[in-house]
Amino acid sequence: MAIVPDTKDWTWVLERPCTECGFDTRVVTRESLPEGIRDNAAAWQELLLGSAGADLRRRPSDSRWSRLEYACHVRDVFRLFDRRLRLMLESDEPTFPNWDQDATAVADSYREQDPVDVAGALLDAAEILAGDFAIVPAAAWHRTGVRSDGARFSVESLGRYLIHDPVHHLHDVACDAGGVGSTSAI
Ligand SMILES: [Zn+2]
């Protein structure tokens, strides 16, 4: 069985704790976002570089991504949300270009990528995103942007929404002995 795309709208994670990973985005503040992004990236470094002997390319089941694939996805999420953040700061209520995460995973051969390269790129992407959130002007947190499905975000809710995704995927890989996981649509 191939990876089944998750087409659910996950914006409910802005309103209540995630039923799968337990993370509550409502506790995330503007000030804590950069640190949250950096802490998450550090956890992925540990997973990719510190798991001696672990098979990073092994899928726990045919329908679940491997650790390496999740890490590639998180790296790309950090890059994607930095583009979305900049777009919101530079133009009035932009519509974000659509991003098909599952098509990207196949087109970019996530399964074939080098874990050391991915770890470095994930760290770089996280640092850029954390730095950009750290310098959002006070008056800009309420600027808006619209996802291609019509979901509207402010800079603040974009940040809270974003940080759930890589946290959720750390939970996914922690469960990869056969627990419940997903490729949450973003
Ligand atoms: Zn979650």
Side-chain angles (χ1 to χ4, degrees), residues 13-14 21 23-29 32-41 74 77-78 81 129 133 156-170:
V13 298
L14 292 170
C21 73
F23 188 72
D24 188 348
T25 66
R26 295 171 302 178
V27 305
V28 177
T29 63
S32 69
L33 254 178
E35 185 182 2
I37 293 167
R38 291 184 175 113
D39 286 351
N40 184 270
V74 168
V77 165
F78 285 151
F81 277 79
L129 181 60
F133 268 114
E156 181 162 356
S157 70
L158 185 88
R160 291 196 292 117
Y161 182 74
L162 142 79
I163 192 63
H164 166 258
D165 192 77
V167 168
H168 190 100
H169 293 318
L170 279 179

